[in-house]
Amino acid sequence: MTMAAIQPQPPLGAPVAGLSLAEALELRARAGKPVRVGLIGAGQMGTDIVVQISQMTGIEIAAVADIAPDRVSEAAALAGRKGDVDTVADEAGLDSARRKGRIAATTSLDLICRSPHVDVIIDATGNPEAGSRVALTAIAARKHIVMMNVEADITIGSYLAVEAAKAGVVYTLGAGDEPAAAMELINFVRAMGYPVVAAGKGKNNPFRIDAVPADYVEEATRRNMNPRMLVEFVDGSKTMVEMVAIANACGFVPDIPGMHGPAAPKDELQNYFCPKEEGGLLSQKGVVDFSVAKGVAPGVFAVAEMRHPRVRERMSDLHLGPGPYYSFFRPYHLTSLEVPLSAAAAVIFNQSHMRPLPVPTSEVGCVAKRDLAAGETLDAIGEYGYRGFALSRADAQARKALPIGLAQGATMTRPVRKGELITLADATPDERLKIVEVRRAQDAMIAALTSGAHS
């Protein structure tokens, strides 16, 4: 008899309180009640999720929405479910597919979000505008929402999280991306009672602020990536977005506009990300930043301040250094492979792995990659017009920075030189976009919250 066979098993129908996520998923599998996922987007990340969920117990893909339903069949085939997809156009079709135990594929995100056969929605669209529509539709349908769309989160996430709470559902960023991985460390340190001085990540490719897709076609093809997506990483936009997501969830800020981004080795992170008066770079505590040193990526870190002599004695015994600053390091993040854990935790435990505070503390603005002329329409993040630039919310407001999540489709109203910050006086967002409408609602919500705090 194996050790697993003699482990005590909770009875079917037992409450989940006290169970680990693995135990709770096993219990749902034994009860024949898996967590049912509705996935929006079957591109690279969405395909990963379909495959990953096929490796798990107690959770399943119920339905997938994509503009090209054939991609759902391709993803299912990779997951070992070739021919196990029904393309549907209405609730009757989706109901029929589910009764047969098949994956429903559709072009309608509304259909999936409304379906009683779905417990939780995962947004894997990779587009801020699409992500805003997915999240709003899911929340209106009282479905938990897992956002892989960090660009949407840093633009309207505070509003979405508040609306989700009102609806009694969970809003969460997905486990596996650097922000949520860093939050694990931040929550660990805070739970132990220590302040986090800095948190961040290693940047996993060269930092080239003028990168454009035409120069990265070969590499993107080799890595099975979209060139635009690759450039979003290379030009630093993704790093800015991810660090601001952490900041807005923790109440942190970039120490300086754009952050420091030193070549801080993994074993010396605490020596760089500590106050200037103690030999570091920082003018304040509670900041987000990143390192470009080799060996830090694909990891994330949190630097804690631990001053009690007995604690420092123990940390020294454990070979973690003399203190008073100590770096806690997670050497990996599994991107889309971890995302289903957030879907399961939302449904089973009503738990969010990460969400922004109601009043954000930071913003990602846009810096021109080239000279921009009046009348131009701005392209997408990771293309030719601009790159992301992290700012504190106070700095962004003072400089009237154009939020990066509102940049695509915005019209330049006056010229901006290469290297300059694009402001709301320089560019007008596309008022037809849902994300622009929601950002205005978020701004009004924040104004109400902050005026109440100051009254």
Side-chain angles (χ1 to χ4, degrees):
M1 182 178 293
T2 66
M3 286 297 294
I6 64 174
Q7 294 299 313
Q9 297 293 324
L12 290 177
V16 297
L19 297 183
S20 69
L21 186 57
E23 290 170 327
L25 285 169
E26 176 65 26
L27 192 63
R28 289 186 76 107
R30 291 170 57 212
K33 294 183 178 180
V35 173
R36 302 168 300 175
V37 173
L39 175 66
I40 314 298
Q44 181 183 9
M45 296 292 103
T47 296
D48 284 351
I49 290 168
V50 173
V51 171
Q52 174 58 32
I53 286 179
S54 74
Q55 309 298 304
M56 299 171 70
T57 188
I59 184 170
E60 66 180 15
I61 292 286
V64 185
D66 195 274
I67 56 174
D70 286 349
R71 294 203 295 194
V72 182
S73 297
E74 293 168 3
L78 277 175
R81 298 187 63 178
K82 185 176 182 179
D84 201 14
V85 175
D86 286 351
T87 300
V88 304
D90 52 29
E91 181 55 41
L94 195 154
D95 181 72
S96 175
R98 294 307 302 147
R99 289 183 186 280
K100 292 183 290 185
R102 295 167 67 81
I103 298 171
T106 179
T107 58
S108 172
L109 72 90
D110 288 355
L111 177 60
I112 290 182
C113 289
R114 290 195 308 264
S115 174
H117 296 285
V118 170
D119 301 313
V120 56
I121 301 297
I122 298 176
D123 167 48
T125 61
N127 177 278
E129 169 67 5
S132 68
R133 293 179 179 276
V134 171
L136 289 168
T137 305
I139 292 166
R142 285 178 163 72
K143 294 288 196 299
H144 305 298
I145 174 69
V146 180
M147 290 287 281
M148 295 181 71
N149 199 323
V150 190
E151 292 80 2
D153 175 80
I154 59 143
T155 307
I156 57 170
S158 291
Y159 179 86
L160 294 176
V162 168
E163 289 299 298
K166 288 179 184 177
V169 296
V170 170
Y171 172 93
T172 180
L173 286 177
D177 214 352
E178 284 103 322
M183 280 300 299
E184 287 185 5
L185 297 177
I186 293 165
N187 288 333
F188 167 71
V189 170
R190 283 179 161 179
M192 291 180 69
Y194 302 109
V196 176
V197 176
K201 60 170 276 188
K203 192 177 185 307
N204 60 1
N205 39 46
F207 190 11
R208 297 172 181 152
I209 60 175
D210 56 353
V212 294
D215 296 333
Y216 287 86
V217 173
E218 186 275 330
E219 181 180 345
T221 302
R222 187 175 71 250
R223 296 174 60 181
N224 194 29
M225 294 181 70
N226 181 305
R228 183 206 65 77
M229 184 182 296
L230 177 56
V231 168
E232 184 178 350
F233 285 94
V234 175
D235 72 7
S237 296
K238 195 72 169 182
T239 296
M240 303 291 158
V241 167
E242 290 168 341
M243 296 305 93
V244 164
I246 295 171
N248 287 339
C250 300
F252 292 173
V253 293
D255 188 45
I256 60 172
M259 300 180 286
H260 294 284
K266 178 172 70 70
D267 294 336
E268 297 182 39
L269 292 165
Q270 70 279 2
N271 299 328
Y272 285 75
F273 299 115
C274 70
K276 289 179 180 177
E277 57 267 28
E278 296 179 79
L281 295 171
L282 305 182
S283 61
Q284 60 190 311
K285 298 176 183 178
V287 306
V288 289
D289 220 304
F290 63 100
S291 172
V292 297
K294 289 184 178 180
V296 182
V300 295
F301 64 87
V303 175
E305 183 176 5
M306 305 166 75
R307 289 195 175 269
H308 193 286
R310 182 60 179 242
V311 172
R312 291 176 66 178
E313 177 186 331
R314 192 60 52 239
M315 294 294 281
S316 179
D317 287 345
L318 295 168
H319 306 290
L320 290 170
Y325 301 105
Y326 300 89
S327 59
F328 294 85
F329 186 71
R330 188 185 196 241
Y332 63 88
H333 67 284
L334 304 185
T335 61
S336 44
L337 302 183
E338 292 185 60
V339 170
L341 299 176
S342 291
V347 174
I348 297 171
F349 296 131
N350 210 43
Q351 177 187 11
S352 172
H353 281 149
M354 181 178 185
R355 65 187 181 279
L357 298 168
V359 178
T361 54
S362 302
E363 184 84 80
V364 179
C366 305
V367 169
K369 283 187 181 179
R370 58 177 177 82
D371 290 347
L372 299 169
E376 283 194 61
T377 299
L378 291 178
D379 51 10
I381 304 170
E383 293 194 319
Y384 296 85
Y386 56 92
R387 61 181 175 90
F389 191 68
L391 299 157
S392 70
R393 180 167 171 267
D395 282 345
Q397 287 182 313
R399 299 170 69 173
K400 294 182 169 49
L402 171 69
I404 198 168
L406 307 185
Q408 185 172 356
T411 301
M412 297 298 299
T413 54
R414 62 187 187 188
V416 171
R417 300 293 300 272
K418 178 180 179 180
E420 293 180 347
L421 187 74
I422 304 172
T423 74
L424 289 165
D426 303 321
T428 302
D430 185 349
E431 295 291 342
R432 298 169 297 180
L433 298 180
K434 176 59 71 172
I435 196 169
V436 174
E437 174 189 332
V438 179
R439 176 55 184 247
R440 295 198 191 289
Q442 176 172 291
D443 289 343
M445 178 191 80
I446 293 169
L449 289 171
T450 53
S451 65
H454 296 152
S455 62

